[in-house]
């Protein structure tokens, strides 16, 4: 069965005579042009800020360097550096932290190269001018990339914006699993438009896997990709896709504008833990074990305690104001203490500002049937036990400020899994219990991914992903995203 038999003429036709994979890249090239314009604008502004800050309205004295020529040269060199380090590579832009790392690396490497050349050649360019320019420019480039990405993510979530059109190839079960994984985060930019399955699974009539059309078998993958306008072929597990057939598929896709990606049978493993090493001509994937102790853990603990003590000192006026508001709003203590389970199953008292009436636990039995979440947690959007001040505190996550004391005491971390109740832990199976291998956190992936709007399964998946793949860089990213999640208020009740 050919791909064309499962497609309408409108979807199988090529557009303006070019391969469909190349046509699908038009939005991508437009987005890259926007990035180039943004980067150029930021670099020019950084140069102006550096010049005005260093020299003000006065002309540089004691220097024969024509800054009117230095500025264009520096703009060009900076853009070349960004291009050379792959900052416009479609494989890294729009998703993941690699884009930000490359932008910072390109800027810092250029700054280092200029400093070395300037020292050797004894060029009299002001070091203050260069320092200010590169500091402002590097931060500005990162902020601009972040803003552009957020706009792209919003467009992708609405079904618009630049996304890769993906043809998934593999056995039925693995195709469905990969489709589910890609659709779980639509802002990543992988839109599944069709599937190819083994010959033995094809039916004499048009098939669909869920809502994904089956557009052919393994014999006509390039033709199927062209027919549906796919610019990416994602290959997942299948007994029929041998190494030889996969290699030939790569040859067949050469020059078509269609990328070939292979989805290994590894899920929820972050890139830094994966290393590809060629052995006897085979690209073997090595997966490093998660790190639960060692120097990085000591540094994380030091950062947690230092940051929590500083935050407590800075937020003391706000903490006092919130305590007064709680006291005036309803009778009962200001703080709420509850037993939670930490690393290694150790129980501790977590501190929170009280957001419910004093007999909230006694009322829980009457509300059990109105639980709005699955799994082991109880959540209600309009919980009658929550006080007026409590609703405000929960919306802005101010009720969790006292947990800074738990972090200072070493019972919690700034970033980590949600601290569970003993009753929840008692029903954990072997997989879920891995959440207890690290300290619970004030915030985490669950906080920046929807909070109470998440299902139990998704919350556990995110917690386990963090446990397996934590890093200091990821912690900083989550802390930054927490600010946006709190201001957004989504899932807070």
């Amino acid at each position: 069965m050919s791909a064309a038999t499962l497609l309408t003429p409108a979807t199988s036709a090529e557009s303006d005579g070019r391969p469909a994979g190349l046509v699908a890249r038009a939005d991508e090239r437009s987005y890259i042009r926007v990035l180039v314009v943004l980067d150029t604008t930021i670099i020019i502004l950084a140069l102006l800020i550096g010049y005005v800050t260093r020299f003000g309205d006065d002309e540089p004295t004691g220097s024969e360097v024509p800054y009117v020529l230095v500025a264009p040269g520096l703009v060009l060199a900076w853009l070349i550096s960004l291009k050379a380090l792959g900052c416009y590579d479609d494989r890294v832009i729009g998703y993941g932290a690699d884009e930000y790392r490359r932008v910072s690396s390109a800027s810092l490497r250029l700054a280092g190269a200029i400093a070395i050349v300037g020292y050797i050649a004894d060029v009299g360019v002001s070091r203050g001018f260069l320092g200010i320019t590169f500091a402002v420019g590097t931060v500005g480039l990162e902020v601009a990339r972040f803003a552009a990405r957020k706009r792209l993510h919003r467009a992708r979530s609405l079904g618009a914006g630049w996304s890769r059109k993906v043809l998934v190839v593999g056995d039925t079960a693995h195709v469905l699993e990969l489709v589910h994984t890609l659709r779980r985060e639509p802002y990543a930019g992988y839109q599944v438009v069709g599937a190819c399955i083994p010959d033995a699974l094809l039916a004499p009539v048009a098939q669909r896997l869920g809502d994904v059309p089956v557009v052919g078998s393994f014999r006509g993958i390039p033709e199927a990709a062209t027919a549906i306008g796919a610019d990416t072929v994602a290959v997942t597990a299948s007994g029929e896709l041998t190494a030889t057939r996969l290699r030939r598929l790569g040859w067949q896709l050469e020059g078509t504008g269609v990328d070939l990606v292979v989805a290994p049978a590894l899920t929820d493993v972050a890139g830094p833990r994966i290393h590809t090493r060629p052995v006897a001509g085979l690209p073997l994937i090595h997966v490093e074990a998660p790190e639960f102790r060692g120097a990085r853990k000591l540094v994380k603990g030091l950062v947690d305690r230092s940051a929590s003590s500083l935050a407590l000192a800075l937020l003391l006026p706000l903490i006092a104001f919130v305590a007064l508001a709680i006291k005036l709003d309803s009778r009962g203590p200001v703080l709420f203490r509850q037993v939670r389970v930490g690393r290694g199953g150790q129980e501790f008292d977590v501190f929170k500002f009280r957001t419910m009436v004093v007999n909230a636990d006694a009322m829980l039995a009457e509300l059990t049937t109105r639980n709005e979440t699955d799994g082991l947690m109880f959540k209600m959007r309009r919980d009658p036990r929550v006080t007026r001040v409590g609703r405000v505190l929960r919306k802005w996550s101010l009720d969790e400020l006292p947990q800074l004391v738990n972090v200072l005491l070493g019972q919690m971390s700034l970033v980590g899994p949600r601290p569970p109740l003993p009753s929840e832990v008692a029903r954990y199976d072997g997989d879920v219990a891995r959440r207890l291998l690290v300290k619970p956190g004030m915030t985490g992936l669950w906080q920046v991914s929807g909070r109470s709007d998440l299902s139990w399964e998704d919350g556990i998946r995110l917690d386990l992903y963090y446990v397996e793949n934590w890093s200091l860089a990821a912690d900083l990213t989550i802390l930054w995203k927490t600010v946006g999640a709190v201001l957004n208020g989504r899932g807070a009740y």
Side-chain angles (χ1 to χ4, degrees):
M1 177 167 32
S2 66
T5 61
L6 297 182
L7 298 170
T8 64
T11 58
S12 63
E14 292 185 3
S15 179
D16 62 16
R18 293 178 297 164
L22 296 178
V23 175
R25 291 181 179 271
D27 288 342
E28 171 194 333
R29 292 194 296 269
S30 177
Y31 180 76
I32 292 175
R33 285 194 293 269
V34 169
L35 290 183
V36 173
V37 172
L38 276 175
D39 291 345
T40 304
T41 303
I42 293 297
I43 293 171
I44 292 174
L45 289 175
L47 285 165
L48 291 174
I49 293 173
Y51 187 89
V52 171
T53 304
R54 175 62 181 85
F55 302 112
D57 297 330
D58 301 327
E59 291 291 331
T61 58
S63 174
E64 298 179 357
V65 176
Y67 282 84
V68 69
L69 298 179
V70 169
L74 192 53
V75 172
L76 182 60
W78 210 328
L79 291 174
I80 292 175
S81 180
L82 291 171
K83 174 66 175 177
L85 266 73
C87 297
Y88 303 111
D89 190 333
D90 61 354
R91 292 170 296 182
V92 300
I93 59 176
Y95 187 76
D98 197 27
E99 179 181 5
Y100 299 125
R101 284 196 294 265
R102 293 193 184 196
V103 169
S104 295
S105 180
S107 303
L108 294 176
R109 289 189 183 191
L110 178 62
I114 290 176
I116 293 173
V117 171
Y119 177 78
I120 295 175
D122 195 21
V123 179
V125 179
S126 169
R127 287 175 292 181
F129 162 73
L130 291 175
I132 295 171
T133 297
F134 276 103
V136 173
T138 302
V139 174
L141 289 173
E142 298 283 12
V143 172
R145 290 289 178 120
F146 176 79
R149 178 182 291 192
K150 283 300 180 184
R151 184 169 183 177
L152 176 64
H153 286 180
R154 284 195 295 271
R156 284 173 171 174
S157 298
L158 297 174
W162 158 55
S163 292
R164 292 179 175 274
K165 307 294 189 268
V166 182
L167 171 67
V168 181
V169 178
D171 290 338
T172 302
H174 292 102
V175 166
L176 289 171
E177 183 177 357
L178 181 56
V179 169
H180 173 71
T181 301
L182 294 178
R183 288 182 173 176
R184 195 163 54 200
E185 298 181 350
Y187 55 84
Y190 286 85
Q191 179 183 353
V192 178
V193 294
C196 285
I197 59 178
D199 294 329
L201 299 177
L202 287 174
V205 296
Q207 295 172 260
R208 303 183 77 85
L209 298 179
D211 59 351
V212 177
V214 176
V215 295
S217 69
F218 292 172
R219 300 188 184 191
I221 295 173
E223 294 78 10
T226 299
I228 61 176
D231 61 0
T232 302
V233 172
V235 178
T236 185
S238 173
E240 294 188 23
L241 279 174
T242 62
T244 300
R245 295 189 71 172
L246 189 59
R247 184 170 64 251
R248 288 175 180 169
L249 175 60
W251 294 341
Q252 292 171 339
L253 294 177
E254 287 180 3
T256 64
V258 179
D259 291 334
L260 174 64
V261 298
V262 178
L266 293 170
T267 58
D268 290 337
V269 179
R273 288 180 55 210
I274 299 176
H275 303 279
T276 303
R277 300 168 188 165
V279 177
L282 296 175
L284 298 183
I285 297 177
H286 292 248
V287 182
E288 294 182 355
E291 186 173 349
F292 301 120
R293 57 180 59 87
R296 287 202 307 148
K297 275 291 185 181
L298 292 176
V299 173
K300 177 180 171 68
L302 179 62
V303 171
D304 283 338
R305 297 197 179 195
S306 300
S308 61
S309 59
L310 178 62
L312 282 170
L314 295 177
L315 296 174
L316 190 58
L318 176 61
I319 291 174
F321 176 79
V322 171
L324 179 62
I326 294 172
K327 201 65 178 176
L328 294 176
D329 179 59
S330 61
R331 66 180 184 85
V334 169
L335 291 178
F336 173 73
R337 299 175 61 173
Q338 189 176 44
V339 176
R340 297 291 178 113
V341 181
R343 184 174 60 184
Q346 295 294 320
E347 295 185 354
F348 67 98
D349 286 335
V350 69
F351 300 106
K352 298 181 69 174
F353 280 127
R354 182 176 58 83
T355 59
M356 292 186 173
V357 295
V358 291
N359 61 336
D361 290 339
M363 298 172 60
L364 179 59
E366 304 173 6
L367 302 172
T368 302
T369 57
R370 297 167 61 182
N371 189 10
E372 297 178 14
T373 187
D374 55 358
L376 307 180
M377 294 186 296
F378 176 85
K379 288 288 184 180
M380 284 183 61
R381 293 183 183 274
R382 291 293 178 183
D383 195 325
R385 301 173 298 166
V386 179
T387 64
R388 291 175 300 175
V389 170
R391 294 192 187 281
V392 177
L393 297 182
R394 290 188 171 200
K395 179 179 180 180
W396 301 107
S397 296
L398 296 176
D399 58 316
E400 298 177 1
L401 286 179
Q403 291 176 25
L404 289 169
V405 176
N406 292 115
V407 176
L408 188 61
L409 294 175
Q411 299 164 333
M412 292 180 63
S413 177
L414 291 176
V415 180
R418 185 188 63 84
L421 293 165
S423 58
E424 297 173 7
V425 174
R427 289 180 283 174
Y428 278 0
D429 59 23
D431 292 343
V432 181
R434 289 185 64 82
R435 297 174 75 250
L436 305 180
L437 291 175
V438 299
K439 293 179 183 178
M442 289 185 62
T443 185
L445 286 174
W446 51 273
Q447 172 88 339
V448 301
S449 303
R451 293 193 269 187
S452 296
D453 284 345
L454 291 174
S455 66
W456 167 259
E457 180 182 353
D458 284 340
I460 291 298
R461 177 182 60 82
L462 291 173
D463 280 346
L464 292 180
Y465 179 88
Y466 177 83
V467 170
E468 299 278 347
N469 304 287
W470 75 273
S471 69
L472 294 175
D475 283 1
L476 292 176
T477 302
I478 292 172
L479 287 171
W480 169 255
K481 289 184 176 181
T482 298
V483 177
V486 170
L487 294 178
N488 186 355
R490 184 169 63 91
Y493 53 87

